[in-house]
Amino acid sequence: MRGHGAVNSRFAYEVLIDELAEKCGLDPVDFRLANLLPSHTTTLNGFRITSNGTRECIERAVEASGWREKRGRLPEGEGIGIACGFYISGSALRINWNKVPQSTVHLKIDSDGGVTVHSLAAEIGQGSDTMLAQCVAEVLGIPIDWIRVFSKDTDTDPIDLGSYSSRVTFMAGTAARRAAEQVRAELCEAAGRLTGYPTEGFDTRLGNVTFLPRPEVSVPYLDAVVEAIAGKGALIARGCYHDAPPMGGKHKGAAAGLSPSYSFQAYVTQAKVDLDTGFVRPLKVWAAHDCGRALNPLAVEMQIEGCLHMGLGQAMMESFGYNKLSVGNPSLLDYKIPSSMEMPDVDVIIVESEDPEGPFGAKEAGEGPLLPILPSLANAVNDAVGVRTRELPMTPARILKALEAKRRAADRAAKKPKEKTKEPVR
Amino acid sequence: MILAPFELHRPTRLDEALALASAHAGDFDWLAGGTDMLQNYKNRLNARGHVIALDAIEELGGVGDDRLGAMTRLTTLADDPRVRERWPGLADAAGVVASPLVRNSATLGGNLLVENRCFWFNQTPFWRSTKGSCLKAESDECRVIPQKEICYAAYSGDLAPVLMVLGASIELASPSGRRTVALADFYRGDGIERNVKAADEIVVTVLLPPEAATLRSGYEKLRHRDTLDYPEMGVAAALGVDDGGRIATLRCAHTAVDTVPRLTDYTNEHAGRPVAEIGESIAPTVATDMEASARPSRNTAMPVGYRKKMVRVYLERLLRRLAEERTVQTE
């Protein structure tokens, strides 16, 4: 389950926006651009918005897709649609009501200079271990392979609330960064002692601890480590992400969806509808996602593609039913998810908005990218054949039924004799 | 799921296989590619105590000019240039069965004899037990249409309709001898009876008449995904065209919309008419007629009305495509 709680309502919302634009006689892109909120604002329902790359997402997806040239000019049965989305980078409110930090990272450097990082952020294939190592390497100015991450061990790792709500990069990443910054301060002090230059001028760069005003004054990282641990033992630090700043209104439901920062998306989808069979197939998706600073662009790209695949399943074929009190589709042959054959070309556009509170400006990329694929496909279907989808999945039978209803209505309208003017019944 | 226990036999000669069949009469299955049957064994669907594997029997293999060994793998049918050139529709159909991995194991004979499928049947024993099972498994009552006589499980092979329109026959061997049956006469009865093959008979070869290599042929398959899925509906057609550009042969078949694949020969009705008329009038007429003969049951993933309707749409498209193809040249 990706993007839980947001996917269905986002689908309805984005399809309605498309309809509104249509009723206003406006291009849905222009309609959206005219109604965007800026960065650093508060929404009506009390969400505190920090960085917001929606405008850039829309503009780049529109540009890359050739929206302006394609809209209304594609061959019969083909269409193009746009939809946006946004998603939390972790929940601002804790799921456990105690004083344990939401994320904690323990970090240790001993005399060989190798860094040990302990975290309970759950690496489930999404790359959170890599992300933690990256955050530490960035602060300490050392290669990533000098860092070993120990995660998923409840015996030795400090508590982390887990991989949900797209919170790990934002919160565990921040904790790792804070722990590394404490150790960096000790290394700078050591370099100051070794060189006689003031501590404040030092920073860790490319395997050295360097005096920035005069870069030729520099201590190798390992020498700084040896000096720092002399007489007291390993450098040990802890960092945590404790609580987001206070936010949210007082109304009922005000707590839902509060986050220290939000990712934003805009997708343009080009799709083909078979007019005789009702089959819907996405041909290409231009997927623009604002994840703040992309710490690991390859991982961001993979997350976006994975989101698209799962979202297309929900849009095109997945549904979970009951048949007389038993699961109606209990196997993966009965429960259809898209295969590689159904995946469209994906043009991933990473928009970097630099979030002020995320680690090095980063926000989430694991769930938000699912949201816009469903409505952008539905809006493309409408552009292609003039059929609005209010029910998912868009199975061939369902789309064909809608197409037939539309044809019947058109036939009736064509056959209808000219109406005699009648006095309205009062 | 764990396989039901059985004793595996692997004869190298046909007579050995038939002797094993006699020895274990009533409690054995032939094993070709196993891609479907072993899955059913895992689901405890009519599993037997003895399984006689056919892969080591040389006589069952081989691709010839007028015959195909029953153990020919679907990948071979899809990729072999001789098959593609002589019977393009057969190559089409073999290429859209399941996925490449399955096609590497699955065989021609196995696909012709693939167990009929039904939403109520192809489930785990636990799932079936919650419904009191079905007529084709442990119960004496059908769940598709509640009654005790007829099983509505759908025939779900992709190759049979194509081989039927090509006029193929199959050679069967049993301990008491050999016989040849036209494929058009082979499939009979409900989802349990399925065909006229006796339990101790084995499909040796598929025989194709010389005419088959002169026909334009094709197969179109309805399914959710362009891989993996069994047909929700499939149509095949063969079109023979004489030197004057007139229809000499026109046969159509559908699959997965009944307990058996069904062939209809339209040759008498349309022979002598110009091929150009297919697009204008023949395709819609024939396709509508084939749609009327489809009797899908509510036991697969797609709605029953949709599957029936798609017979016409897919067949009309297929016939138009075949009409536009250039005549197949064979030496």
Side-chain angles (χ1 to χ4, degrees), chain A residues 274 276-277 279 281 317 323-324 326-328 330 332-334 336-339 341-342 396-397 400 404, chain B residues 117 119-120 123 127 130-131 222-230 301-303 306 309-310 313-314 317:
Chain A
D274 188 315
D276 300 320
T277 67
F279 266 86
R281 285 289 182 261
M317 49 186 81
N323 189 332
K324 296 183 186 164
S326 305
V327 176
L332 282 171
L333 195 60
D334 292 326
K336 312 284 182 189
I337 63 170
S339 74
M341 304 292 284
E342 282 70 56
L400 185 65
E404 286 171 346
Chain B
R117 298 185 63 81
F119 169 76
W120 302 91
Q123 302 292 356
W127 193 95
T130 64
K131 319 280 193 209
L222 171 68
R223 50 180 169 172
H224 271 94
R225 299 169 288 190
D226 292 336
T227 184
L228 290 169
D229 291 329
Y230 285 89
M302 286 183 174
Y306 179 78
K309 199 176 285 177
M310 287 305 109
V313 173
Y314 278 60
R317 283 184 181 181

Side-chain angles (χ1 to χ4, degrees), chain A residues 315-332:
Chain A
M316 286 160 41
M317 49 186 81
E318 286 179 47
S319 64
F320 183 75
Y322 281 88
N323 189 332
K324 296 183 186 164
L325 300 178
S326 305
V327 176
N329 34 17
S331 76
L332 282 171

